[in-house]
Every structure is written in structure tokens, then in C-alpha cells.
Amino acid sequence: MVYSNKDFPALKNDRLLRAATGKEVDKVPVWVMRQAGRYLPEFQAVRAQHDFFTVCRTPELACEVTLQPLRRYEHLDASIIFSDILVIPQALGMTVEMHPGVGPVFPTPLQSPSEIDQLQEDGAVSRLTYVGDAITLTRHKIEGKVPLIGFTGAPFTLMGYMIEGGGSKTMSKTKEWLEKYPKDVHKLLSLLTRVIIDYLVMQAESGAQLLQVFESSADHLTKEQFAEVSAPYLKDIRTGVQQKLEEKKLEQVPMTVFAKGGGHSLDVQATLGYETIGLDWTVDPVEARKIVGDNITLQGNLDPQDLYKTPEEIKKMTIDMVQKFGKHRYIANLGHGITPQTPLESMTAFTEAVHEAF
Ligand code: CP3
């Protein structure tokens, strides 16, 4: 059966969208980055049968794993579509494999700026329609229980993976590019920005109700570098999505920027036009609020490692965190993705505590 991106079931829990747009909420909304992931036995069961990117590319499977955490945790106030940030380099023609225990691997990463011209920008978003199909299917299957978040990697983070050929502790090759080839770096970041804008608009058109941009590698950047290679593109993405949705007469969707390790640039992040700024656990909630002002929602930021503590300790730390952020313009989350060994009951303790805090 083909599902339509119209006539979705009515939304029954709009806490996330209310918080993102500055409206009053009855309780603080909560969701968790990587909430569909390896800490769930039901996710591992799907992965035992199917390769990682097969799950991403098969709407029924992506939908199934997106819904898994919602079945287990009644307090979750949002879902995030199951996919990966690295589907964009794939759509540009690069090969990306997911190696168990290692992470993503590019057998042939970008080795010199001359290779930028080989990237297949034309038609890239049309090679990602499977993400839109997964979003549309999930919007029907979720029956309006909670909103569905779409996402993308930010240009600098994607460029880093494309140059390093996978995750990197040092990002030494990428930093060499920043030094040696500043013009080519901007050419590549601009290409990625154009694709990302169309990709996010496609996700919104398919039914995504909020869009999050992951600048997960901001922790490698100084404040000066962030202003140079991250912030301008993040801003273009926010403006570009708004303009294209307007042109297509589609409803606007709130957007979140999450720059892991970008705590030094909250002042800059507050000028980028995003409704919500995601924080990692190194940022103090009260300090962050002072810097970004009262018109932006904050999201975060418990250290994922705290989920290895006892449920009692988790509850105490979570309530403390939520009270520091306050009830208004706040979305509770971890400061980065939940890790694979996290005990299942830790998620119960975390999500319950958020709703108990006020
Ligand atoms: O539940 C959700 O949050 C949605 C799913 C999601 C995945 N990846 C699934 C995934 C999301 C939002 C992402 C984003 C993503 N992917 C980011 C940005 C967020 C972040 O963590 O900073 C990044 C950097 C990637 C790239 C990536 N994908 C890495 C570095 C890895 C390996 C590390 C790891 O956690 O294994 C992946 C693999 C990945 N993406 C898994 C999942 C569930 C685990 C792989 C598996 O199932 O074998």
C-alpha cells in the first residue's frame, strides 16, 4: 500500500512542538538522541536480520525501529526517524559501509579537492526518497501519539566523515584541508548546504514535524573556526528551509541545531534562526540561558554516562537538571546519543523523572 503525505492522524501529544515554539506546556517534553538503537534488544533483533543501511533504506524496517522505543517507554514525547547522517554522502555517490564494532567506513574517502567535482549533486535528494517514504509511513503508523523528528548532518560534520573516511579522534586530514584549501572547503560546504536544504524540505513535505541538524563534530573546532566553517552554513540551512517551505506553500517546521562541543559559541548559535539549541553535558543550563536569552528553546543535556548510575541517582540528577533549565522553552534530552550498554531501566528512570520534575 502506498501512503500519502496528507491526512495524517491528528497529533495527540504536542508538548515537543509547543516547547520548541515557546508555548506553555503541562509537562517538560522528553526524548533521547539515538533512542532507537542498540541498547534495545528489539532493535538488535532487527539488526541481526538486516544490514544497517538496509534498515535505513527499507521504509517498513525504518518505521518499525522508529516505533520500538515508543512501545517500551510511555513517557517519550517524540520520535526521531531511523536513518543516519551519512546517507547524504551515499546520495552524492560515495560508498559508506557500517562495520559492527567499528562504525561507518568509507573505502574511498575524498583524497584531494579535485574530487569534489566528482560528487553527484544533481539528483542527490531524489536518491533519498526512501527517507521521505519512511517518514510518511511512520506518520501514519504512529497514529498521532507523538511528533516525528527528521534530521540531517551539518555540512562541516559530513565533510569531516567524507575526508577522514570514518570517525576520527583528531580530524587531522580535515584540519589539513582547512589550512591548505580554504576555497575548496567552502565549495564543498556550499554543495553540502544546498543538498541539505532540499533534503530537509523533502523531509518536511513527507511529514517531519521538527528538523534537527547534527553538527556532531563541532568539538574539533575553535570558536574562530566554528564562525568560519560551521555557523554560516547552519544559518543558510535555516533560512533556506524557511524560504523553500514558503515557496512551496508548505507549513513551517521548527528547527533544532545541536553542535556537540560548540558550547563556546552559544552566542553565535543564538543568531542562526533556530527555534531550539541542543546542548551537550559540558554546558551549564543557567549559563546557557543567560547567553541565548529568553526566545530560544534549550534541549539537553544529561551526560549519557550518567545512565549507568542507579535509577535513584538518575532520577535525582534528572530532576535537578530539569529544574535548572526550568519548565519554559525547554526539551529534556541527553547531551549526546544513548550508548549501547545502557540498562533498559535507566531510560524509564530518566523519562519518568522529567515528567515528575514539575
Ligand atoms: O534514534 C535516533 O536518534 C535516530 C537514528 C540515528 C542514527 N544515527 C542511527 C544509528 C541518528 C539521529 C544518527 C545520527 C548520526 N549518525 C550522527 C549524529 C549524531 C551523533 O551521534 O553525533 C552521527 C555522527 C552518525 C554517524 C554514525 N552512525 C556513527 C559515528 C556511527 C557509529 C557509532 C555508533 O554509535 O555505532 C553510526 C552508526 C549508527 N547510527 C547506529 C545507529 C543506531 C549503530 C549502528 C548499528 O546499528 O550497528
Side-chain angles (χ1 to χ4, degrees), residues 32-38 43 47 52 80-86 98 103-104 151 157 161 214 216 336:
V32 169
M33 289 186 274
R34 291 278 171 96
Q35 67 187 26
R38 283 165 298 175
F43 174 79
R47 283 283 286 109
F52 179 79
I80 179 163
I81 191 66
F82 187 81
S83 184
D84 199 84
I85 62 165
L86 300 177
M98 197 59 76
F151 71 92
T157 295
Y161 278 97
F214 285 94
S216 301
H336 198 200

Side-chain angles (χ1 to χ4, degrees), residues 7-202:
D7 303 322
F8 289 129
L11 186 59
K12 295 171 200 151
N13 173 351
D14 63 354
R15 274 180 200 132
L16 177 90
L17 302 182
R18 294 182 68 84
T21 52
K23 299 192 181 109
E24 295 286 306
V25 288
D26 61 337
K27 288 176 194 301
V28 167
V30 57
W31 70 281
V32 169
M33 289 186 274
R34 291 278 171 96
Q35 67 187 26
R38 283 165 298 175
Y39 73 105
L40 289 176
E42 54 272 36
F43 174 79
Q44 286 180 0
V46 173
R47 283 283 286 109
Q49 302 285 327
H50 307 278
D51 165 76
F52 179 79
F53 285 112
T54 304
V55 182
C56 296
R57 288 195 195 107
T58 313
E60 291 73 20
L61 292 174
C63 172
E64 164 59 24
V65 296
T66 299
L67 297 179
Q68 283 175 345
L70 299 177
R71 292 189 194 117
R72 198 182 265 274
Y73 301 109
E74 57 177 315
H75 290 280
L76 283 173
D77 294 302
S79 57
I80 179 163
I81 191 66
F82 187 81
S83 184
D84 199 84
I85 62 165
L86 300 177
V87 297
I88 288 186
Q90 286 178 334
L92 293 169
M94 297 185 82
T95 299
V96 187
E97 296 158 1
M98 197 59 76
H99 292 189
V102 178
V105 174
F106 292 60
T108 47
L110 295 179
Q111 283 184 309
S112 85
S114 64
E115 292 172 13
I116 296 172
D117 292 330
Q118 292 166 27
L119 296 170
Q120 296 155 27
E121 180 178 355
D122 282 353
V125 174
S126 69
R127 290 187 284 279
L128 292 167
T129 46
Y130 62 85
V131 178
D133 292 344
I135 288 172
T136 302
L137 176 64
T138 306
R139 275 292 305 273
H140 285 282
K141 296 277 181 191
I142 208 168
E143 296 171 338
K145 208 172 156 190
V146 293
L148 180 61
I149 302 170
F151 71 92
T152 180
F156 173 72
T157 295
L158 292 179
M159 180 180 82
Y161 278 97
M162 291 160 74
I163 294 173
E164 302 294 333
S168 165
K169 283 216 163 69
T170 57
M171 295 274 266
S172 56
K173 296 192 184 97
T174 308
K175 289 187 175 172
E176 201 181 321
W177 279 50
L178 299 187
E179 280 283 311
K180 279 196 188 159
Y181 319 119
K183 275 204 178 125
D184 301 289
V185 160
H186 285 287
K187 183 174 156 186
L188 178 50
L189 293 172
S190 303
L191 181 157
L192 288 165
T193 299
R194 290 190 295 274
V195 174
I196 287 167
I197 291 170
D198 287 341
Y199 179 46
L200 290 177
V201 169
M202 182 271 274

